[in-house]
Amino acid sequence: MNAKSTLCRDTLGSIELHLLSPEWREPRIGIVHLGIGNFHRAHEAVYTEEAMLAAGGDWGICGVTLQGDVTKRDALMAQDGLYSVVERGPDGVRVTVIRALEEILAMPHDRARLFALLADENVRIVSLTVTEKGYCRDTKTGDVDLRHKGIAHDLANSAEPSTVPGILTAALRQRREAGTPPFTVLSCDNLSHNGAALKQAVVSFARAVDGTLAGWIDTHVAFPSTMVDRIVPSTTDADREAAFDALRMKDAAPVPCEPFRQWVIEDRFPTGRPAWENVGAQLVDDVMPFELAKLRMLNGTHSTLAYLSMLAGFATIDEAISHAPLKKLIHAMMTHEIAPTLDVPPSFDVLAYRDALLARYANAALKHRTAQIAMDGSQKIPPRLLATIEARLDAGQSIERLALAVAAWLVFLRGRADDGTRYDISDPMAARLTANVPADPQQLIETMLAIKEVFPPELTRRDDFRTPLKAAVTCLQAGARAAIDHYAGLE
Ligand code: CS2
């Protein structure tokens, strides 16, 4: 392959049809994004490029990987930050090359450059997709977990932070000392009240460093909440081939995704933001109803599908949802158990939302692996399922299907599908979760419910939680497919 056959800014002329617009003015960097995974590249980066095309502004993005691995940085920098978004829908594949990513950094290697950018007044937003575990929170208090290894390191070495609270605090301290207005911090993770949660993690970290700085951050830095939505699986060879077929050029880092996308943002950006509202984002005063609907309806059923599928042997979400009893169960779970816990504005039609989700899950072109969603259960189960369970129990309502979802996670931790196939448990708490996974339902429940980081003690004391959970774990002993049949038949 000659040089021209690889994606780069000099060769864009030959792929105009695959650009959002032939027009483009290279912007200065205005956004630093921590956690440059597939999700950001198929979501915020696309909205931001469209917003710049629609209304201008210097909102180029510098993406940062925090994993210590330079592979992603090098692959993207070798193609000048360009990559294709491979949209896979029932009507076919659409390949679009995105130009908004201007620079990619890898921590800890590029620390000096990162901090230079974070000090630069033109950087007005620092956004994040670092997943639940990136917040290093103590789940009981919501403050940063001072026993977390990375946090302890960052407190002892404040000039070389590696965690999200450590990096943000050091960067905000630089701004305060230089008299530069702070950037807005925009969490794009699937946490409830993600802006407030991040603010609490950062302010509590800063408090452990310098009380005055903590007070300044608390008063002067905006942490708007957002609800982000787009199903974005990990990249496969099929995506690299689809990009090559469309572009006739090699792209080492394409991102697959579904056609659907949604972004609801709390409109608090004291130093400005891209005109995201011009390109479909919803800027609102209160994100909470949207956020809860998405976390509980989408992410809650995603995790349910993932754990039942890992046991039953469904490799992808579309395969799982095409199993009629499982679809019936998920439909009933949303209708009877999740939707009634939501307090949404009258214009939000929850049942239409449910039907749209089921249609998105059925997208057979996407191949969203259930093993990918099954990762990090210790972080995902509380906001996605336990919060819904608590809301229902407090209202005196039943939780059979939600209990089955939690039970499926517990049984999943044994690391073996019903047909004997083994799989790995990928979770920041994996060592503890898998140290002892009793086969006996009662013992399994006792062992796991003792993990306070996941299960709030008030919840574990409730019989109206324990009884349906035990029934579900017991039912899963006969195999997940039999359990799905049983729960699908519930009235
Ligand atoms: C999924 C989400 O992997 C997961 O846990 O539930 O990433 C989901 O695809 C997105 O939140 C959709 O917006």
Side-chain angles (χ1 to χ4, degrees):
M1 248 182 246
N2 63 36
K4 286 219 154 173
S5 61
T6 296
L7 200 52
C8 65
R9 293 205 189 235
D10 286 345
T11 54
L12 288 181
S14 65
I15 53 160
E16 260 186 25
L17 278 176
H18 294 281
L19 299 173
L20 288 169
S21 155
E23 278 158 46
W24 186 245
R25 177 189 65 81
E26 287 300 337
R28 291 176 60 195
I29 291 172
I31 298 176
V32 169
H33 184 81
L34 306 180
I36 183 73
N38 277 8
F39 185 80
H40 169 81
R41 295 195 290 134
H43 190 266
E44 181 181 339
V46 178
Y47 277 99
T48 303
E49 177 154 329
E50 289 179 3
M52 284 191 279
L53 288 167
D58 277 317
W59 297 107
I61 300 170
C62 168
V64 186
T65 155
L66 300 173
Q67 317 289 353
D69 168 22
V70 296
T71 322
K72 195 181 290 167
R73 175 195 69 185
D74 294 350
L76 281 163
M77 284 307 271
Q79 34 192 70
D80 299 335
L82 301 175
Y83 61 90
S84 12
V85 168
V86 179
E87 216 175 272
R88 296 185 177 278
D91 304 330
V93 180
R94 208 177 86 185
V95 174
T96 310
V97 171
I98 296 300
R99 295 161 291 186
L101 197 55
E102 294 285 334
E103 186 171 347
I104 301 92
L105 302 176
M107 279 289 274
H109 316 277
D110 302 318
R111 177 174 285 119
R113 172 67 184 149
L114 173 61
F115 276 87
L117 274 175
L118 291 172
D120 175 354
E121 191 162 10
N122 195 59
V123 169
R124 281 156 290 159
I125 295 174
V126 175
S127 55
L128 297 80
T129 43
V130 293
T131 78
E132 297 84 345
K133 59 180 180 268
Y135 291 71
C136 313
R137 294 190 307 154
D138 174 334
T139 44
K140 285 195 290 293
T141 62
D143 280 355
V144 80
D145 180 359
L146 297 172
R147 291 156 311 172
H148 184 286
K149 248 176 52 203
I151 294 296
H153 167 275
D154 287 5
L155 286 173
N157 306 273
S158 59
E160 294 192 341
S162 57
T163 65
V164 166
I167 292 170
L168 290 172
T169 302
L172 288 165
R173 179 206 279 269
Q174 283 190 120
R175 292 233 172 181
R176 177 167 176 261
E177 286 171 359
T180 310
F183 43 74
T184 298
V185 190
L186 185 63
S187 164
C188 298
D189 282 299
N190 291 318
L191 295 177
S192 29
H193 315 302
N194 54 10
L198 178 56
K199 179 173 182 172
Q200 190 179 346
V202 174
V203 171
S204 58
F205 179 90
R207 205 180 299 123
V209 178
D210 168 352
T212 322
L213 176 65
W216 182 82
I217 295 175
D218 192 22
T219 332
H220 292 96
V221 184
F223 289 82
S225 279
T226 62
M227 180 272 249
V228 294
D229 191 7
R230 189 168 216 179
I231 295 176
V232 184
S234 17
T235 305
T236 65
D237 284 342
D239 303 312
R240 283 180 273 270
E241 276 157 31
F244 186 80
D245 287 348
L247 307 174
R248 308 313 299 167
M249 279 189 218
K250 192 175 156 214
D251 178 356
V255 185
C257 63
E258 63 174 338
F260 179 90
R261 69 180 196 191
Q262 190 180 9
W263 198 7
V264 187
I265 313 168
E266 190 188 341
D267 201 1
R268 278 196 298 127
F269 294 81
T271 48
R273 58 167 173 76
W276 288 316
E277 75 279 22
N278 284 12
V279 294
Q282 297 155 264
L283 277 297
V284 300
D285 292 334
D286 183 10
V287 175
M288 210 181 81
F290 299 94
E291 182 187 283
L292 282 188
K294 194 249 168 173
L295 257 178
R296 295 181 180 180
M297 295 283 275
L298 191 161
N299 297 116
T301 56
H302 243 182
S303 290
T304 307
L305 284 165
Y307 298 120
L308 287 170
S309 294
M310 290 302 286
L311 298 173
F314 302 123
T316 61
I317 289 291
D318 68 286
E319 194 188 327
I321 213 71
S322 70
H323 182 66
L326 189 47
K327 179 173 179 186
K328 189 167 176 229
L329 165 62
I330 296 294
H331 182 282
M333 181 172 173
M334 289 201 262
T335 314
H336 303 304
E337 296 192 4
I338 306 178
T341 70
L342 301 171
D343 185 11
V344 289
S347 58
F348 191 125
D349 181 343
V350 187
L351 299 183
Y353 187 68
R354 169 201 65 197
D355 294 342
L357 286 179
L358 291 170
R360 288 167 65 193
Y361 293 170
N363 179 353
L366 204 55
K367 302 277 166 271
H368 195 194
R369 285 170 45 252
T370 50
Q372 185 185 348
I373 303 168
M375 286 172 15
D376 291 356
S378 67
Q379 317 289 303
K380 292 176 176 175
I381 294 288
R384 296 179 176 204
L385 293 164
L386 299 185
T388 320
I389 287 179
E390 286 176 308
R392 286 192 66 79
L393 294 181
D394 287 346
Q397 294 160 338
S398 63
I399 57 158
E400 271 82 3
R401 301 170 186 91
L402 291 158
L404 174 68
V406 178
W409 178 56
L410 300 186
V411 176
F412 156 84
L413 293 172
R414 73 187 181 196
R416 182 173 32 82
D418 290 334
D419 70 1
T421 311
R422 300 211 164 258
Y423 49 77
D424 289 332
I425 306 293
S426 169
D427 193 298
M429 292 182 69
R432 246 173 101 192
L433 294 170
T434 58
N436 173 25
V437 188
D440 173 69
Q442 186 64 36
Q443 281 174 22
L444 178 64
I445 290 173
E446 294 309 332
T447 307
M448 297 304 171
L449 263 49
I451 303 182
K452 298 194 176 52
E453 289 82 349
V454 178
F455 293 100
E458 318 79 70
L459 179 63
T460 63
R461 282 194 286 270
R462 298 184 70 139
D463 282 341
D464 49 3
F465 176 53
R466 285 175 165 269
T467 306
L469 185 62
K470 177 154 181 221
V473 173
T474 307
C475 188
L476 282 166
Q477 301 246 291
R481 290 189 190 229
I484 292 166
D485 286 344
H486 173 77
Y487 280 82
L490 292 181
E491 282 307 315

